[in-house]
Amino acid sequence: MESAALSDQHHRRLERRVDRIQEKLPDSMARVLAWLREPRATWVRVPAGLLLILGGLFSFLPVLGIWMLPLGLVLLAYDVPFLRPPINRALVRGERRWKEWKRRRRAASSSS
């Protein structure tokens, strides 16, 4: 019982984090992400997540990039409950680092 409640809590946290990311995307990409997040898109989300992870592992090749790895993991976290806690932590950490980087960049440009 507690495990299901905890899994739901992690899912809600993942939803909130991905909502924030989706708000910052261009409209066309946001629509695709919104569609992939729907429950009925599991048949596309899981293979897409696996392909993105595989592409991220081959990031040394042209066109493929390391950006594919975290995106694939986020997509898989929707359907694989044990991935949700570490993905949530990684999203929080990434958001904090992004804000800190922007703050330092702003401070450096204003002091110049």
Side-chain angles (χ1 to χ4, degrees), residues 5 7 9 16 18 27 35 97:
S7 181
Q9 180 184 9
R16 285 194 307 267
V18 178
D27 287 341
W35 179 77
R97 287 185 180 171

Side-chain angles (χ1 to χ4, degrees), residues 24-62:
K24 296 175 182 173
L25 291 174
D27 287 341
S28 59
M29 292 174 67
R31 280 193 301 272
V32 170
L33 183 57
W35 179 77
L36 281 171
R37 293 172 65 193
E38 292 179 8
R40 66 176 184 255
T42 299
W43 62 276
V44 175
R45 189 172 46 241
V46 171
L50 292 172
L51 286 173
L52 284 165
I53 291 169
L54 185 63
L57 295 176
F58 291 105
S59 63
F60 58 88
L61 297 172

Side-chain angles (χ1 to χ4, degrees), residues 11-28:
H11 186 72
R12 286 191 306 274
R13 285 182 181 164
L14 181 65
E15 285 288 336
R16 285 194 307 267
R17 299 280 174 221
V18 178
D19 279 342
R20 287 185 193 158
I21 294 169
Q22 188 173 329
E23 289 172 0
K24 296 175 182 173
L25 291 174
D27 287 341
S28 59

